[in-house]
Amino acid sequence: MASATLKGRKDGYEVQLDDAASFADNLTDLGGLLRQVHEAQAALHEDQANFVIVTGRRLLTPDQEIAVRALLDPYPHFQITAFKAAVMDAHDLSPLIRQTHVPVAIGVIRSGQERQFDGDVLFIGALHHGGVLKARGSVFLLGEAAGVIHAGYPDDAEAVVVGDLTGATQVRIADMVDIVDQANTHLTATSFAYVNDLHAIDYSECINLRQMRPRLYAQMEE
Amino acid sequence: MPAISLVITSGKGGVGKTTATANIGTALAMIGKRVCVIDLDLGLRNLDIMIGLGNRILYDIVDVVQGRATLHQALVKDTRFEDRLVLLPAAQNADKNVLTPASVRQIVDALRSEFDYILLDCPAGIEQGFRNALAGADGALIVTTPELSALSDADRVIGLIEAYHMPIGPRLIVNRVQAAMIAAGTSLTVAAIAHRLALPLLGYVVDDNAIITADNNGEPVVFDTHSKAGACYHNITDRLLDPQTPLLPLITKQPTFWQKLFRRA
Ligand SMILES: Nc1ncnc2c1ncn2[C@@H]1O[C@H](COP(=O)(O)OP(=O)(O)OP(=O)(O)O)[C@@H](O)[C@H]1O
Ligand SMILES: [Mg+2]
Protein backbone atom coordinates (compact mmCIF):
# COMPACT_ATOMS: atom_id res chain seq x y z
CA MET A 1 0.00 0.00 0.00
CA ALA A 2 1.22 3.46 -0.85
CA SER A 3 2.49 5.48 2.10
CA ALA A 4 0.80 8.66 0.80
CA THR A 5 -2.96 8.81 0.39
CA LEU A 6 -5.10 11.57 -1.05
CA LYS A 7 -8.39 12.88 0.23
CA GLY A 8 -10.53 15.58 -1.28
CA ARG A 9 -11.37 18.57 0.87
CA LYS A 10 -13.68 21.47 0.31
CA ASP A 11 -10.79 23.79 -0.29
CA GLY A 12 -8.31 21.42 -1.91
CA TYR A 13 -6.63 18.17 -0.96
CA GLU A 14 -5.38 16.50 2.15
CA VAL A 15 -2.42 14.16 1.83
CA GLN A 16 -1.85 11.67 4.61
CA LEU A 17 1.71 10.47 4.95
CA ASP A 18 1.82 7.12 6.72
CA ASP A 19 3.95 7.56 9.85
CA ALA A 20 4.71 3.82 9.93
CA ALA A 21 6.46 4.00 6.55
CA SER A 22 9.89 5.55 6.07
CA PHE A 23 10.06 9.22 5.23
CA ALA A 24 11.88 8.34 1.98
CA ASP A 25 8.87 6.20 0.95
CA ASN A 26 6.56 9.07 1.94
CA LEU A 27 8.45 11.34 -0.44
CA THR A 28 8.43 8.85 -3.33
CA ASP A 29 4.72 8.15 -2.96
CA LEU A 30 3.85 11.82 -2.50
CA GLY A 31 5.78 12.60 -5.72
CA GLY A 32 3.63 10.01 -7.53
CA LEU A 33 0.42 11.43 -6.07
CA LEU A 34 1.27 14.95 -7.13
CA ARG A 35 1.91 13.79 -10.66
CA GLN A 36 -1.50 12.06 -10.74
CA VAL A 37 -3.24 15.15 -9.39
CA HIS A 38 -1.50 17.26 -11.99
CA GLU A 39 -2.68 14.97 -14.78
CA ALA A 40 -6.23 14.81 -13.49
CA GLN A 41 -6.37 18.57 -13.11
CA ALA A 42 -5.02 19.08 -16.64
CA ALA A 43 -7.86 16.92 -17.99
CA LEU A 44 -10.31 19.19 -16.20
CA HIS A 45 -8.49 22.33 -17.44
CA GLU A 46 -7.71 23.34 -13.94
CA ASP A 47 -4.25 23.90 -12.48
CA GLN A 48 -4.71 25.47 -9.01
CA ALA A 49 -4.51 23.04 -6.05
CA ASN A 50 -4.00 23.44 -2.31
CA PHE A 51 -2.60 20.70 -0.09
CA VAL A 52 -2.64 20.07 3.62
CA ILE A 53 0.06 17.57 4.56
CA VAL A 54 -0.96 15.36 7.48
CA THR A 55 1.87 13.43 9.09
CA GLY A 56 0.17 11.55 11.95
CA ARG A 57 2.57 10.76 14.76
CA ARG A 58 5.59 11.91 12.75
CA LEU A 59 6.70 15.44 13.41
CA LEU A 60 8.59 16.77 10.35
CA THR A 61 11.87 18.55 10.88
CA PRO A 62 12.38 21.85 9.02
CA ASP A 63 14.61 19.97 6.55
CA GLN A 64 11.94 17.37 5.94
CA GLU A 65 9.37 20.12 5.32
CA ILE A 66 11.73 21.64 2.75
CA ALA A 67 12.08 18.24 1.07
CA VAL A 68 8.28 17.95 0.87
CA ARG A 69 7.89 21.45 -0.55
CA ALA A 70 10.59 20.73 -3.15
CA LEU A 71 8.32 18.05 -4.63
CA LEU A 72 5.89 20.81 -5.62
CA ASP A 73 8.50 22.79 -7.54
CA PRO A 74 7.51 21.27 -10.93
CA TYR A 75 3.91 22.44 -10.37
CA PRO A 76 3.93 26.20 -9.80
CA HIS A 77 0.16 26.30 -9.20
CA PHE A 78 0.31 23.77 -6.38
CA GLN A 79 0.60 25.08 -2.88
CA ILE A 80 0.98 23.61 0.61
CA THR A 81 -1.29 25.46 3.01
CA ALA A 82 -0.34 23.57 6.19
CA PHE A 83 1.55 20.71 7.78
CA LYS A 84 -0.41 18.93 10.47
CA ALA A 85 0.81 16.35 12.94
CA ALA A 86 -0.97 14.58 15.78
CA VAL A 87 2.07 15.17 17.99
CA MET A 88 3.93 18.19 19.30
CA ASP A 89 7.45 18.92 20.38
CA ALA A 90 7.78 18.80 24.17
CA HIS A 91 9.72 22.05 24.07
CA ASP A 92 6.85 23.87 22.35
CA LEU A 93 4.27 22.16 24.47
CA SER A 94 5.38 23.07 27.98
CA PRO A 95 4.78 26.83 27.75
CA LEU A 96 1.39 26.06 26.28
CA ILE A 97 0.55 23.81 29.21
CA ARG A 98 1.72 26.42 31.63
CA GLN A 99 -0.49 28.99 29.94
CA THR A 100 -3.67 26.98 29.89
CA HIS A 101 -3.32 24.70 32.85
CA VAL A 102 -3.89 25.76 36.43
CA PRO A 103 -1.60 23.75 38.70
CA VAL A 104 -3.17 22.23 41.79
CA ALA A 105 -1.31 22.58 45.07
CA ILE A 106 -2.46 20.66 48.10
CA GLY A 107 -1.30 21.19 51.65
CA VAL A 108 -1.03 23.41 54.65
CA ILE A 109 0.75 26.76 54.71
CA ARG A 110 1.65 27.44 58.29
CA SER A 111 2.54 30.54 60.25
CA GLY A 112 5.85 31.91 58.96
CA GLN A 113 5.72 29.89 55.74
CA GLU A 114 5.39 31.35 52.27
CA ARG A 115 4.56 29.42 49.11
CA GLN A 116 5.00 30.97 45.67
CA PHE A 117 3.57 29.91 42.34
CA ASP A 118 4.67 30.95 38.89
CA GLY A 119 1.25 31.41 37.32
CA ASP A 120 -2.29 30.75 38.46
CA VAL A 121 -2.82 28.25 41.22
CA LEU A 122 -5.64 26.20 42.62
CA PHE A 123 -4.75 25.79 46.27
CA ILE A 124 -6.57 23.06 48.18
CA GLY A 125 -5.93 22.88 51.89
CA ALA A 126 -5.45 25.38 54.65
CA LEU A 127 -3.66 28.69 54.72
CA HIS A 128 -3.02 29.38 58.37
CA HIS A 129 -2.81 32.72 60.11
CA GLY A 130 0.70 34.08 59.54
CA GLY A 131 1.19 32.09 56.32
CA VAL A 132 1.50 33.63 52.85
CA LEU A 133 0.28 32.27 49.51
CA LYS A 134 1.73 34.14 46.55
CA ALA A 135 1.10 33.68 42.82
CA ARG A 136 2.10 35.56 39.70
CA GLY A 137 -1.38 34.89 38.39
CA SER A 138 -4.76 34.33 39.96
CA VAL A 139 -5.41 32.33 43.11
CA PHE A 140 -8.30 29.89 43.42
CA LEU A 141 -8.80 28.67 46.95
CA LEU A 142 -10.56 25.61 48.23
CA GLY A 143 -10.38 25.38 52.00
CA GLU A 144 -9.85 27.62 54.95
CA ALA A 145 -7.75 30.73 54.45
CA ALA A 146 -6.66 32.69 57.49
CA GLY A 147 -3.37 34.10 56.21
CA VAL A 148 -2.27 36.49 53.48
CA ILE A 149 -3.14 35.82 49.84
CA HIS A 150 -1.18 37.69 47.20
CA ALA A 151 -2.33 37.28 43.58
CA GLY A 152 -0.76 38.97 40.58
CA TYR A 153 2.57 39.22 42.34
CA PRO A 154 4.35 41.55 41.65
CA ASP A 155 2.35 43.66 39.19
CA ASP A 156 -0.52 41.89 37.44
CA ALA A 157 -3.63 43.83 38.38
CA GLU A 158 -5.74 41.58 36.14
CA ALA A 159 -5.29 38.71 38.59
CA VAL A 160 -8.14 37.71 40.87
CA VAL A 161 -8.55 35.78 44.10
CA VAL A 162 -11.46 33.36 44.16
CA GLY A 163 -12.52 31.47 47.26
CA ASP A 164 -13.78 31.97 50.77
CA LEU A 165 -11.82 34.99 51.98
CA THR A 166 -13.97 35.75 54.98
CA GLY A 167 -11.33 34.51 57.43
CA ALA A 168 -8.27 35.87 55.63
CA THR A 169 -5.93 38.43 57.15
CA GLN A 170 -5.11 40.30 53.95
CA VAL A 171 -5.84 40.08 50.26
CA ARG A 172 -3.18 41.54 48.01
CA ILE A 173 -3.36 41.94 44.24
CA ALA A 174 -0.36 43.37 42.37
CA ASP A 175 0.77 46.29 44.56
CA MET A 176 -2.48 46.73 46.45
CA VAL A 177 -3.41 45.51 49.89
CA ASP A 178 -6.80 45.04 51.45
CA ILE A 179 -6.93 44.33 55.14
CA VAL A 180 -9.83 41.97 55.44
CA ASP A 181 -11.82 42.84 58.45
CA GLN A 182 -14.77 40.99 59.79
CA ALA A 183 -16.98 44.03 59.28
CA ASN A 184 -16.37 43.91 55.52
CA THR A 185 -19.90 43.40 54.34
CA HIS A 186 -19.10 42.83 50.66
CA LEU A 187 -17.33 39.64 51.49
CA THR A 188 -19.07 36.28 51.36
CA ALA A 189 -17.97 32.70 50.86
CA THR A 190 -18.81 33.06 47.16
CA SER A 191 -17.19 36.37 46.36
CA PHE A 192 -13.92 37.05 44.60
CA ALA A 193 -11.38 39.85 44.86
CA TYR A 194 -10.21 41.94 41.93
CA VAL A 195 -8.75 45.34 41.17
CA ASN A 196 -11.41 47.80 40.07
CA ASP A 197 -11.20 50.79 37.68
CA LEU A 198 -10.14 53.04 40.53
CA HIS A 199 -7.14 50.77 41.09
CA ALA A 200 -8.39 49.48 44.41
CA ILE A 201 -9.16 45.98 45.60
CA ASP A 202 -12.85 45.28 45.43
CA TYR A 203 -15.09 42.26 45.82
CA SER A 204 -17.80 40.89 43.63
CA GLU A 205 -19.81 37.69 43.42
CA CYS A 206 -18.32 34.72 41.54
CA ILE A 207 -21.14 34.71 39.02
CA ASN A 208 -19.79 38.02 37.70
CA LEU A 209 -16.32 36.61 37.09
CA ARG A 210 -16.99 35.67 33.48
CA GLN A 211 -18.10 39.14 32.56
CA MET A 212 -15.42 40.94 34.56
CA ARG A 213 -12.44 38.80 33.54
CA PRO A 214 -13.36 37.37 30.11
CA ARG A 215 -9.75 36.51 29.34
CA LEU A 216 -9.52 34.31 32.38
CA TYR A 217 -12.76 32.65 31.47
CA ALA A 218 -11.67 31.92 27.90
CA GLN A 219 -8.48 30.37 29.21
CA MET A 220 -10.40 28.06 31.52
CA GLU A 221 -12.67 26.97 28.69
CA GLU A 222 -9.82 25.76 26.48
CA MET B 1 15.22 -2.12 69.95
CA PRO B 2 17.07 1.22 70.15
CA ALA B 3 15.30 4.12 71.84
CA ILE B 4 12.82 6.42 70.14
CA SER B 5 13.75 10.03 70.77
CA LEU B 6 11.04 12.66 71.00
CA VAL B 7 11.42 16.39 71.38
CA ILE B 8 8.81 18.26 73.44
CA THR B 9 8.49 21.73 72.01
CA SER B 10 6.07 24.65 71.68
CA GLY B 11 7.54 27.86 70.38
CA LYS B 12 5.87 29.95 73.05
CA GLY B 13 7.33 29.80 76.54
CA GLY B 14 5.63 28.64 79.69
CA VAL B 15 2.97 26.49 78.05
CA GLY B 16 4.01 23.28 79.80
CA LYS B 17 6.87 21.62 77.90
CA THR B 18 8.90 20.78 80.97
CA THR B 19 5.84 19.60 82.88
CA ALA B 20 4.93 17.36 79.94
CA THR B 21 8.46 15.96 79.68
CA ALA B 22 8.57 15.18 83.41
CA ASN B 23 5.16 13.55 83.45
CA ILE B 24 5.37 11.54 80.26
CA GLY B 25 8.86 10.40 81.24
CA THR B 26 7.69 9.35 84.69
CA ALA B 27 4.52 7.68 83.41
CA LEU B 28 6.56 5.66 80.91
CA ALA B 29 8.90 4.54 83.70
CA MET B 30 5.88 3.60 85.85
CA ILE B 31 4.80 1.08 83.22
CA GLY B 32 8.25 -0.42 82.94
CA LYS B 33 9.86 1.52 80.10
CA ARG B 34 13.47 2.66 80.31
CA VAL B 35 13.47 6.42 79.86
CA CYS B 36 16.10 9.13 79.60
CA VAL B 37 14.92 12.73 79.85
CA ILE B 38 17.31 15.42 78.66
CA ASP B 39 17.01 19.05 79.72
CA LEU B 40 18.15 21.24 76.84
CA ASP B 41 17.06 24.52 78.39
CA LEU B 42 20.55 25.83 79.18
CA GLY B 43 20.62 28.46 81.89
CA LEU B 44 17.01 27.86 82.94
CA ARG B 45 17.04 24.25 83.93
CA ASN B 46 14.05 23.01 85.88
CA LEU B 47 13.23 19.56 84.57
CA ASP B 48 15.32 18.19 87.45
CA ILE B 49 13.15 19.95 90.00
CA MET B 50 9.85 18.92 88.43
CA ILE B 51 10.93 15.34 88.26
CA GLY B 52 12.24 15.46 91.82
CA LEU B 53 15.95 14.92 91.18
CA GLY B 54 17.17 18.48 91.71
CA ASN B 55 19.36 17.70 94.69
CA ARG B 56 21.29 14.85 93.10
CA ILE B 57 22.97 16.59 90.19
CA LEU B 58 26.76 16.32 89.96
CA TYR B 59 27.48 17.06 86.31
CA ASP B 60 25.46 18.36 83.39
CA ILE B 61 25.24 18.08 79.62
CA VAL B 62 27.80 20.82 79.06
CA ASP B 63 30.30 19.00 81.28
CA VAL B 64 29.83 16.01 79.01
CA VAL B 65 30.26 17.99 75.80
CA GLN B 66 33.35 19.73 77.15
CA GLY B 67 34.89 16.54 78.45
CA ARG B 68 34.74 17.26 82.19
CA ALA B 69 32.55 14.22 82.77
CA THR B 70 31.59 11.08 80.94
CA LEU B 71 28.03 10.70 79.76
CA HIS B 72 27.31 8.08 82.40
CA GLN B 73 28.75 10.18 85.20
CA ALA B 74 26.32 12.95 84.32
CA LEU B 75 23.19 10.79 84.20
CA VAL B 76 21.07 11.18 87.34
CA LYS B 77 19.22 7.97 88.19
CA ASP B 78 15.79 7.89 89.73
CA THR B 79 15.78 5.28 92.48
CA ARG B 80 11.97 5.31 92.62
CA PHE B 81 12.03 3.26 89.43
CA GLU B 82 15.07 1.06 89.93
CA ASP B 83 17.05 3.40 87.69
CA ARG B 84 14.64 2.99 84.76
CA LEU B 85 14.21 6.78 84.72
CA VAL B 86 17.34 8.80 84.14
CA LEU B 87 17.92 12.54 83.75
CA LEU B 88 20.64 14.35 81.84
CA PRO B 89 20.52 17.84 83.38
CA ALA B 90 21.08 21.17 81.65
CA ALA B 91 23.87 23.50 82.71
CA GLN B 92 22.99 26.51 84.84
CA ASN B 93 25.86 28.76 83.85
CA ALA B 94 27.10 28.00 80.40
CA ASP B 95 27.48 29.79 77.14
CA LYS B 96 24.41 28.94 75.09
CA ASN B 97 26.52 28.12 72.09
CA VAL B 98 28.50 25.26 73.57
CA LEU B 99 25.77 22.85 72.50
CA THR B 100 25.38 22.24 68.79
CA PRO B 101 22.95 20.12 66.80
CA ALA B 102 25.79 17.68 66.17
CA SER B 103 26.75 17.34 69.85
CA VAL B 104 23.14 16.75 70.89
CA ARG B 105 22.68 14.16 68.17
CA GLN B 106 25.84 12.43 69.30
CA ILE B 107 24.66 12.25 72.91
CA VAL B 108 21.24 10.93 71.91
CA ASP B 109 22.79 8.29 69.69
CA ALA B 110 25.13 7.22 72.48
CA LEU B 111 22.11 6.64 74.75
CA ARG B 112 19.86 4.83 72.28
CA SER B 113 20.91 1.29 73.08
CA GLU B 114 20.19 1.66 76.80
CA PHE B 115 16.67 3.11 76.72
CA ASP B 116 13.23 2.69 75.21
CA TYR B 117 12.47 6.42 75.11
CA ILE B 118 14.61 9.53 75.10
CA LEU B 119 12.67 12.74 75.76
CA LEU B 120 14.21 16.09 74.92
CA ASP B 121 12.87 19.10 76.82
CA CYS B 122 13.22 21.96 74.38
CA PRO B 123 13.72 25.60 75.40
CA ALA B 124 11.15 28.18 74.25
CA GLY B 125 11.79 30.00 70.99
CA ILE B 126 13.11 28.90 67.62
CA GLU B 127 16.79 29.71 67.99
CA GLN B 128 19.89 27.66 68.68
CA GLY B 129 18.41 25.68 71.59
CA PHE B 130 15.43 24.70 69.48
CA ARG B 131 17.62 23.58 66.59
CA ASN B 132 19.78 21.57 68.98
CA ALA B 133 16.78 19.76 70.38
CA LEU B 134 15.32 19.01 66.95
CA ALA B 135 18.60 17.56 65.73
CA GLY B 136 18.40 14.76 68.27
CA ALA B 137 14.76 13.84 67.70
CA ASP B 138 12.98 11.12 65.73
CA GLY B 139 9.66 12.85 66.31
CA ALA B 140 8.09 15.84 68.03
CA LEU B 141 5.34 16.43 70.56
CA ILE B 142 3.97 19.93 70.19
CA VAL B 143 2.59 21.47 73.37
CA THR B 144 0.18 24.35 73.16
CA THR B 145 -2.35 26.04 75.37
CA PRO B 146 -5.73 27.05 73.94
CA GLU B 147 -4.92 30.76 73.42
CA LEU B 148 -4.48 32.07 69.89
CA SER B 149 -1.01 33.43 70.63
CA ALA B 150 0.19 29.98 71.66
CA LEU B 151 -1.49 28.39 68.64
CA SER B 152 0.23 30.80 66.31
CA ASP B 153 3.65 29.95 67.78
CA ALA B 154 2.84 26.24 67.65
CA ASP B 155 1.87 26.56 63.99
CA ARG B 156 5.15 28.30 63.23
CA VAL B 157 7.09 25.58 65.02
CA ILE B 158 5.19 22.78 63.26
CA GLY B 159 6.12 24.32 59.92
CA LEU B 160 9.79 24.40 60.91
CA ILE B 161 9.66 20.84 62.21
CA GLU B 162 8.05 19.52 59.03
CA ALA B 163 11.11 20.72 57.13
CA TYR B 164 13.22 18.26 59.17
CA HIS B 165 11.29 15.27 57.80
CA MET B 166 11.58 13.31 61.02
CA PRO B 167 10.72 9.63 60.78
CA ILE B 168 7.82 10.08 63.21
CA GLY B 169 5.28 12.80 62.38
CA PRO B 170 4.54 15.54 64.93
CA ARG B 171 1.64 15.13 67.34
CA LEU B 172 -0.24 17.61 69.47
CA ILE B 173 -0.74 18.01 73.21
CA VAL B 174 -3.19 20.69 74.28
CA ASN B 175 -2.38 21.81 77.82
CA ARG B 176 -4.35 23.80 80.39
CA VAL B 177 -7.71 22.91 78.92
CA GLN B 178 -10.59 24.40 80.85
CA ALA B 179 -13.79 22.42 80.48
CA ALA B 180 -15.89 25.25 81.88
CA MET B 181 -14.58 27.73 79.31
CA ILE B 182 -15.23 25.29 76.50
CA ALA B 183 -18.76 24.74 77.80
CA ALA B 184 -19.29 28.48 77.99
CA GLY B 185 -18.00 28.87 74.43
CA THR B 186 -15.13 31.13 75.49
CA SER B 187 -12.40 28.67 74.56
CA LEU B 188 -11.77 26.55 71.48
CA THR B 189 -12.44 22.85 71.94
CA VAL B 190 -9.51 20.46 71.89
CA ALA B 191 -10.72 19.03 68.58
CA ALA B 192 -11.00 22.51 67.08
CA ILE B 193 -7.42 23.27 68.12
CA ALA B 194 -6.14 20.06 66.53
CA HIS B 195 -8.11 20.89 63.38
CA ARG B 196 -6.79 24.42 63.31
CA LEU B 197 -3.22 23.20 63.56
CA ALA B 198 -3.91 20.33 61.15
CA LEU B 199 -2.08 17.95 63.46
CA PRO B 200 -2.99 14.56 64.94
CA LEU B 201 -3.98 14.89 68.59
CA LEU B 202 -1.95 12.87 71.07
CA GLY B 203 -3.93 14.15 74.05
CA TYR B 204 -4.84 17.04 76.28
CA VAL B 205 -4.21 18.05 79.89
CA VAL B 206 -6.74 19.92 81.95
CA ASP B 207 -5.79 23.03 83.83
CA ASP B 208 -5.24 21.68 87.31
CA ASN B 209 -3.75 23.09 90.49
CA ALA B 210 -2.51 19.61 91.29
CA ILE B 211 0.28 20.34 88.79
CA ILE B 212 1.50 23.24 90.87
CA THR B 213 1.28 21.19 94.08
CA ALA B 214 3.19 18.41 92.35
CA ASP B 215 5.84 20.86 91.18
CA ASN B 216 6.29 22.08 94.73
CA ASN B 217 6.59 18.52 96.04
CA GLY B 218 9.07 17.43 93.39
CA GLU B 219 6.71 14.66 92.44
CA PRO B 220 5.20 14.73 88.96
CA VAL B 221 1.41 14.78 88.97
CA VAL B 222 1.23 11.31 87.40
CA PHE B 223 1.94 9.97 90.92
CA ASP B 224 -1.30 11.56 92.10
CA THR B 225 -3.84 8.90 91.26
CA HIS B 226 -6.78 11.17 92.02
CA SER B 227 -5.74 14.17 89.95
CA LYS B 228 -7.37 14.89 86.62
CA ALA B 229 -4.12 16.17 85.13
CA GLY B 230 -2.39 12.94 86.19
CA ALA B 231 -5.06 10.91 84.41
CA CYS B 232 -4.58 13.04 81.31
CA TYR B 233 -0.83 12.39 81.28
CA HIS B 234 -1.38 8.65 81.73
CA ASN B 235 -3.79 8.76 78.78
CA ILE B 236 -1.21 10.63 76.70
CA THR B 237 1.41 8.04 77.59
CA ASP B 238 -0.92 5.16 76.74
CA ARG B 239 -1.73 6.77 73.40
CA LEU B 240 1.96 7.26 72.74
CA LEU B 241 2.51 3.51 73.17
CA ASP B 242 -0.70 2.50 71.42
CA PRO B 243 -2.36 5.04 69.13
CA GLN B 244 -5.59 3.00 69.25
CA THR B 245 -6.11 3.95 72.91
CA PRO B 246 -9.22 6.12 73.11
CA LEU B 247 -8.89 9.72 74.20
CA LEU B 248 -9.91 10.35 77.79
CA PRO B 249 -13.33 12.00 77.64
CA LEU B 250 -13.39 15.61 78.78
CA ILE B 251 -16.37 16.44 80.89
CA THR B 252 -17.80 19.69 79.58
CA LYS B 253 -21.18 19.59 81.20
CA GLN B 254 -23.00 22.87 81.40
CA PRO B 255 -23.16 23.97 85.04
CA THR B 256 -26.50 23.13 86.56
CA PHE B 257 -28.91 25.77 87.74
CA TRP B 258 -27.88 25.21 91.37
CA GLN B 259 -24.17 25.33 90.57
CA LYS B 260 -24.65 28.62 88.76
CA LEU B 261 -26.68 29.98 91.63
CA PHE B 262 -24.04 29.10 94.20
CA ARG B 263 -21.14 30.28 92.07
CA ARG B 264 -22.72 33.68 91.71
CA ALA B 265 -23.37 33.92 95.42
N1 LIG C 1 -2.14 21.72 83.14
C1 LIG C 1 -1.66 22.67 83.95
N2 LIG C 1 -2.42 23.18 84.93
C2 LIG C 1 -1.93 24.14 85.76
N3 LIG C 1 -0.69 24.64 85.69
C3 LIG C 1 0.12 24.18 84.72
C4 LIG C 1 -0.31 23.17 83.82
N4 LIG C 1 0.72 22.90 82.98
C5 LIG C 1 1.74 23.71 83.35
N5 LIG C 1 1.39 24.47 84.40
C6 LIG C 1 2.23 25.47 85.07
O1 LIG C 1 2.71 26.38 84.08
C7 LIG C 1 4.02 26.79 84.38
C8 LIG C 1 4.91 26.59 83.17
O2 LIG C 1 5.06 25.22 82.90
P1 LIG C 1 6.38 24.62 82.30
O3 LIG C 1 7.57 25.09 83.04
O4 LIG C 1 6.19 23.16 82.14
O5 LIG C 1 6.35 25.31 80.88
P2 LIG C 1 7.51 25.34 79.80
O6 LIG C 1 6.82 25.34 78.48
O7 LIG C 1 8.50 24.28 80.05
O8 LIG C 1 8.17 26.76 80.07
P3 LIG C 1 9.54 27.33 79.46
O9 LIG C 1 9.20 27.79 78.07
O10 LIG C 1 9.90 28.45 80.36
O11 LIG C 1 10.52 26.21 79.46
C9 LIG C 1 4.48 25.98 85.58
O12 LIG C 1 4.40 26.78 86.72
C10 LIG C 1 3.48 24.85 85.64
O13 LIG C 1 3.27 24.43 86.97
MG1 LIG D 1 10.65 24.43 80.26
Side-chain angles (χ1 to χ4, degrees), chain A residues 92-104:
Chain A
D92 300 334
L93 191 63
S94 63
L96 209 70
I97 291 176
R98 233 176 296 136
Q99 230 176 62
T100 56
H101 168 87
V102 179
V104 180

Side-chain angles (χ1 to χ4, degrees), chain B residues 10 12-20 41 44 46 50 121-124 175-177 205-209 211-212 215 229 233:
Chain B
S10 66
K12 189 169 156 73
V15 297
K17 295 176 292 293
T18 304
T19 312
D41 201 350
L44 291 170
N46 44 34
M50 286 205 197
D121 183 15
C122 183
N175 189 23
R176 310 201 74 152
V177 170
V205 183
V206 292
D207 194 73
D208 189 348
N209 286 339
I211 295 230
I212 297 162
D215 190 346
Y233 274 117

Side-chain angles (χ1 to χ4, degrees), chain A residues 116-128:
Chain A
Q116 272 210 40
F117 298 89
D118 244 357
D120 297 341
V121 64
L122 168 58
F123 182 78
I124 304 176
L127 170 62
H128 286 183

Side-chain angles (χ1 to χ4, degrees), chain B residues 95-173:
Chain B
D95 178 2
K96 277 196 171 166
N97 300 321
V98 294
L99 283 190
T100 63
S103 61
V104 172
R105 197 179 305 127
Q106 205 177 357
I107 287 173
V108 169
D109 286 341
L111 292 166
R112 279 187 196 276
S113 64
E114 295 165 49
F115 297 94
D116 299 310
Y117 282 91
I118 297 170
L119 304 181
L120 303 155
D121 183 15
C122 183
I126 53 174
E127 292 86 33
Q128 174 85 33
F130 171 74
R131 289 193 294 270
N132 290 345
L134 257 55
D138 304 328
L141 307 183
I142 315 295
V143 182
T144 186
T145 49
E147 308 90 57
L148 291 187
S149 58
L151 295 187
S152 173
D153 285 359
D155 196 44
R156 174 93 179 95
V157 157
I158 297 161
L160 295 173
I161 286 174
E162 280 170 346
Y164 278 71
H165 301 290
M166 295 180 187
I168 304 171
R171 279 163 293 177
L172 182 67
I173 296 173

Side-chain angles (χ1 to χ4, degrees), chain A residues 100-153:
Chain A
T100 56
H101 168 87
V102 179
V104 180
I106 300 176
V108 180
I109 303 176
R110 297 186 180 277
S111 178
Q113 291 181 331
E114 181 177 312
R115 280 185 72 181
Q116 272 210 40
F117 298 89
D118 244 357
D120 297 341
V121 64
L122 168 58
F123 182 78
I124 304 176
L127 170 62
H128 286 183
H129 188 90
V132 182
L133 170 58
K134 248 184 201 180
R136 287 189 176 279
S138 294
V139 174
F140 306 91
L141 275 170
L142 214 56
E144 293 164 47
V148 173
I149 303 127
H150 196 162
Y153 173 82

